[in-house]
Amino acid sequence: TKIDLWFVDKLQNIVDMEKQLLSQPLTPELLWQAKRLGFSDEQVGTLADRLHEQVRQLRHSWNIRPVYKMVDTCAAEFDAGTPYFYSTYEQENEAEPLQGNKAVVIGSGPIRIGQGIEFDYSSVHAAWALQESGYKSIMINSNPETVSTDFDTSDRLYFEALDEESLRDILENEGGIEFSGNAPPSIVQFGGQTAINLAEPLFRSGMLLLGSSAEAIDLAEDRRRFENFLSELGVPQPPGAGVSSVDEAISVAKLIGYPVLVRPSYVLGGRAMEIVHDASELIRYMSLAMELDTRHPVLIDKYLEGKEVEVDAIGDGETVFIPGIMEHIERAGVHSGDSMAVYPGVNLTEQEIETLVDYAIRIGLGLKIKGLMNIQFVIMPGSTTQESSVYVLEVNPRASRTIPFIAKVTGVPMINVATKVMLGKSLKEQGYNTGLFERQKLIGIKAPVFSMSKLLGVDTYLGPEMKSTGEVMGIDYTFDAALAKALLAAGLMLLPQGAILISIADRDKPEALPIIRKLSSIGYKLYATEGTTAMIEAAGLPVKMISKKLSEGHPNVVDVINEGTVNAVINTITGGRIPLRDGFYIRRAAAEKRIPCFTSLDTARAAVEALVNGGQTYSAQPLPDYRRKEPV
């Protein structure tokens, strides 16, 4: 195998221990050996045929507890003032409980798609806010590549896995040997979905939570309970229901009509979320969603292709304060982490803003939110006689990935304020009232950044499952200037002169024509696939047809991208799998060539407008100046 025998030997130890746990009665000696080899209580329980809670109780009755060893940040030259600790099963414990007021901040663990650096920002600001308030901050996180695990961010760092067993062990260690409910309270709102999912097990085992209660978190995260909660408040949501089986899903979808959105509970970055167009697709996606086994219902609701709007708010149980409203450039159906967001919502009417604020306040008070929450809305356009309708898509009872963006554009230190609310200082005492904060005289635009060229074989089209790995912010006094900055930073800005490959789904063709006309009018060379060419020719515009069938001669769509003939791509997809596969090669080639590839017409329209409206007129100033001064 070419694997060093040393490693094979160590793996053999683990296999031998598994066999022992399966075949022998559990004794203090055997449990001690298993824990030394890194077996969790749950794994021991599975092999020794016990519940993990029983294994924990046995462990405590035999006094088998982890001890914490210090990673010496000063290489033994002098005393480390800010040490951090890891657990092991040894004799001597080097982490004596911290004295005085203290609280634990649970981090977000490894950075991955759906849970990025924004939660690291939140954890760090929470640690600083605790220190400002006279509390010692204890950080628990397992990712060495973050600021929250820097040795000088918090008063104490435990470098541990973010699971129930590790957390309870640490909290008991901080509570002291005579642990009798002295454990410090934990903050779960700032570590993304990973930390929120730990709220219920911590609460169940009698640990204190700071901020929103475990009940409020479950009410917002469990799709079926949340649906009933909104109905009681009289807040509209897209028609749908929480289901627990494929049969239920099919009957719900039949009732509300396709397309539907499939959404599991308690998942990260829209995992296994999908827009489904027919019953056979629904069966496949429901099977995927059930495989995640979150032990909570999956929500099937009507997919509304309206304007998506997002709100981050801070609540203290009596007041709900909203620093700002963000409007997405892409319509609903693209994950909020992958869409471009604009502050303040430039296309929102006063009536829509009032409705959004009213719903946010009702939900915040109804959930008794203490700390942060994020709400996603969809606005369906009205007719001449009817006003537009606002629906609530979902509520996250935690810091969201837009917190750093909103904090920077409005100047409201959201994490600091929310942490102090959790410690008992009301919003009014901090100078904030219920409702929407004054609007800044600037435009901020958040744009996603993708690492598609590094992720081989991944399809780059945007949908309800998140794919971006980071984000950038463009800020200026006008929409066009802010948009140009955001697109430049995200690598999506079109060249002033160039050529573009266009392949548009039939249902998008009428909407795509004005964008194509604009590109042609500024001198862009147009290349298109068979069906799209027919539409462009019918509109009387010059275009060169390129075959999308890779087996039928050259140059085909992939050739024109790889040879550098075109320097951008617009490729929208229809529902269903076959056209998806057709376009896959176009999107992959564009990702690997690192040229802008737009799979949403909304993003493409924004990029073309930024180019046409002279995005070269933007200003460059320090961020606080935009918030402080009148436009220069």
Side-chain angles (χ1 to χ4, degrees):
T1 61
K2 303 284 194 303
I3 296 173
D4 192 296
L5 289 176
W6 188 89
F7 291 105
V8 177
D9 206 38
K10 297 297 168 200
L11 290 170
Q12 185 63 46
N13 291 343
I14 295 173
V15 175
D16 291 345
M17 176 51 72
E18 283 189 345
K19 287 178 180 164
Q20 275 182 277
L21 286 166
L22 277 167
S23 59
Q24 296 176 16
L26 200 55
T27 61
E29 177 57 28
L30 184 60
L31 185 55
W32 172 254
Q33 290 299 335
K35 297 308 283 181
R36 299 251 316 155
L37 278 175
F39 280 74
S40 68
D41 288 351
E42 196 159 348
Q43 287 166 322
V44 172
T46 304
L47 294 161
D49 201 21
R50 292 166 194 263
L51 295 171
H52 74 92
E53 196 56 39
Q54 289 175 320
V55 175
R56 186 180 187 85
Q57 284 164 2
L58 266 181
R59 199 156 59 72
H60 286 184
S61 66
W62 293 333
N63 203 22
I64 299 173
R65 294 172 188 267
V67 296
Y68 295 89
K69 297 289 186 187
M70 183 168 74
V71 177
D72 190 349
T73 49
C74 300
E77 287 185 37
F78 40 87
D79 254 2
T82 48
Y84 56 97
F85 297 94
Y86 65 94
S87 68
T88 181
Y89 281 81
E90 288 280 350
Q91 301 304 324
E92 184 198 6
N93 185 21
E94 295 175 9
E96 291 301 319
L98 282 177
Q99 299 308 308
N101 285 340
K102 57 189 175 182
V104 168
V105 179
I106 299 175
S108 59
I111 286 177
R112 56 231 194 259
I113 293 178
Q115 187 148 299
I117 206 80
E118 302 89 347
F119 300 113
D120 186 42
Y121 167 99
S122 301
S123 303
V124 171
H125 281 262
W128 291 343
L130 286 171
Q131 289 164 340
E132 267 177 44
S133 307
Y135 277 70
K136 292 199 169 80
S137 65
I138 300 168
M139 184 74 68
I140 306 177
N141 204 357
S142 58
N143 184 354
E145 296 289 325
T146 54
V147 182
S148 59
T149 50
D150 281 1
F151 66 90
D152 56 355
T153 296
S154 49
D155 293 287
R156 176 172 277 186
L157 165 68
Y158 284 96
F159 204 81
E160 287 292 304
L162 295 171
D163 57 41
E164 181 185 347
E165 181 183 334
S166 307
L167 276 146
R168 286 172 68 183
D169 286 339
I170 292 166
L171 291 167
E172 285 170 11
N173 182 63
E174 283 295 335
I177 291 299
E178 298 303 313
F179 174 71
S180 54
N182 309 337
S186 304
I187 300 178
V188 296
Q189 286 187 22
F190 301 133
Q193 200 65 44
T194 302
I196 275 291
N197 289 356
L198 288 162
E200 197 246 342
L202 286 178
F203 174 71
R204 210 178 45 229
S205 55
M207 301 298 179
L208 278 175
L209 296 180
L210 274 184
S212 302
S213 65
E215 167 64 11
I217 290 167
D218 188 61
L219 191 50
E221 287 284 340
D222 186 306
R223 304 284 189 194
R224 192 177 278 154
R225 293 192 64 199
F226 181 64
E227 190 190 353
N228 298 337
F229 164 74
L230 283 187
S231 305
E232 283 165 27
L233 284 185
V235 172
Q237 57 193 321
V243 300
S244 310
S245 70
V246 176
D247 292 347
E248 279 181 63
I250 289 169
S251 57
V252 168
K254 198 172 173 184
L255 201 67
I256 59 179
Y258 292 94
V260 297
L261 190 59
V262 179
R263 296 189 287 170
S265 305
Y266 280 101
V267 291
L268 178 73
R271 248 178 88 208
M273 273 195 200
E274 197 65 55
I275 298 164
V276 169
H277 295 81
D278 57 50
S280 57
E281 271 187 34
L282 180 62
I283 293 167
R284 189 160 85 247
Y285 283 114
M286 268 306 286
S287 316
L288 277 178
M290 305 297 259
E291 267 171 32
L292 288 180
D293 187 32
T294 61
R295 298 192 299 281
H296 293 279
V298 174
L299 188 68
I300 305 282
D301 58 10
K302 181 75 180 155
Y303 168 53
L304 302 174
E305 196 180 24
K307 179 163 53 187
E308 195 165 341
V309 177
E310 200 167 349
V311 165
D312 283 306
I314 309 170
D316 64 5
E318 291 167 12
T319 305
V320 177
F321 171 65
I322 302 164
I325 293 175
M326 290 157 286
E327 177 190 351
H328 290 193
I329 287 179
E330 288 81 2
R331 272 162 285 194
V334 172
H335 191 281
S336 61
D338 287 349
S339 55
M340 296 172 79
V342 184
Y343 164 87
V346 283
N347 299 314
L348 299 176
T349 64
E350 279 307 312
Q351 176 256 331
E352 285 167 353
I353 290 171
E354 276 171 31
T355 308
L356 293 166
V357 171
D358 170 42
Y359 289 172
I361 292 169
R362 278 199 239 171
I363 291 169
L365 295 176
L367 284 173
K368 300 184 181 65
I369 288 287
K370 282 202 172 68
L372 291 166
M373 70 167 175
N374 163 269
I375 311 181
Q376 287 163 31
F377 299 93
V378 61
I379 301 178
M380 294 302 284
S383 59
T384 42
T385 53
Q386 204 182 2
E387 291 176 331
S388 55
S389 332
V390 176
Y391 298 92
V392 170
L393 286 178
E394 66 177 359
V395 174
N396 293 306
R398 57 172 170 82
S400 74
R401 64 182 60 76
T402 45
I403 290 281
F405 171 69
I406 271 291
K408 285 183 166 83
V409 292
T410 59
V412 176
M414 291 188 71
I415 301 290
N416 188 296
V417 172
T419 306
K420 286 174 181 169
V421 161
M422 293 179 201
L423 296 173
K425 192 174 181 185
S426 74
L427 282 165
K428 287 204 169 80
E429 287 174 76
Q430 297 185 61
Y432 299 104
N433 295 312
T434 286
L436 187 59
F437 189 53
E438 63 182 3
R439 184 173 168 158
Q440 303 294 306
K441 294 183 172 62
L442 54 81
I443 302 276
I445 298 181
K446 171 199 80 113
V449 177
F450 299 89
S451 306
M452 293 302 185
S453 54
K454 296 190 180 90
L455 303 171
L456 294 178
V458 171
D459 196 342
T460 62
Y461 83 96
L462 299 185
E465 192 162 15
M466 188 168 160
K467 292 180 178 175
S468 63
T469 49
E471 57 196 24
V472 292
M473 178 169 91
I475 194 165
D476 214 309
Y477 296 115
T478 67
F479 178 80
D480 291 325
L483 181 61
K485 283 182 177 177
L487 291 169
L488 272 169
L492 290 173
M493 191 68 176
L494 294 169
L495 297 176
Q497 289 295 311
I500 190 162
L501 173 65
I502 306 170
S503 177
I504 305 283
D506 288 344
R507 64 170 181 200
D508 296 327
K509 281 180 177 148
E511 206 184 321
L513 202 52
I515 303 172
I516 297 168
R517 278 191 202 281
K518 254 185 195 164
L519 281 167
S520 185
S521 70
I522 55 170
Y524 253 71
K525 285 200 186 101
L526 306 179
Y527 292 80
T529 52
E530 293 86 337
T532 310
T533 300
M535 173 195 75
I536 297 172
E537 282 175 342
L541 300 173
V543 60
K544 181 165 184 197
M545 193 191 88
I546 299 291
S547 172
K548 69 176 169 192
K549 297 192 170 69
L550 303 187
S551 54
E552 293 179 16
H554 300 279
N556 57 39
V557 283
V558 173
D559 297 332
V560 292
I561 294 169
N562 288 342
E563 289 159 10
T565 312
V566 297
N567 29 40
V569 174
I570 301 178
N571 171 227
T572 70
I573 59 165
T574 43
R577 294 282 124 190
I578 305 303
L580 243 181
R581 279 204 297 276
D582 277 356
F584 172 74
Y585 300 104
I586 300 178
R587 296 189 287 274
R588 265 322 303 173
E592 282 159 26
K593 193 75 180 163
R594 299 192 180 206
I595 61 173
C597 175
F598 303 102
T599 63
S600 155
L601 283 184
D602 299 320
T603 327
R605 185 183 301 107
V608 172
E609 278 169 12
L611 181 65
V612 174
N613 298 342
Q616 311 313 319
T617 54
Y618 51 77
S619 61
Q621 291 169 210
L623 176 63
D625 287 8
Y626 285 109
R627 290 200 299 257
R628 196 166 43 232
K629 293 193 303 210
E630 289 297 312
V632 177

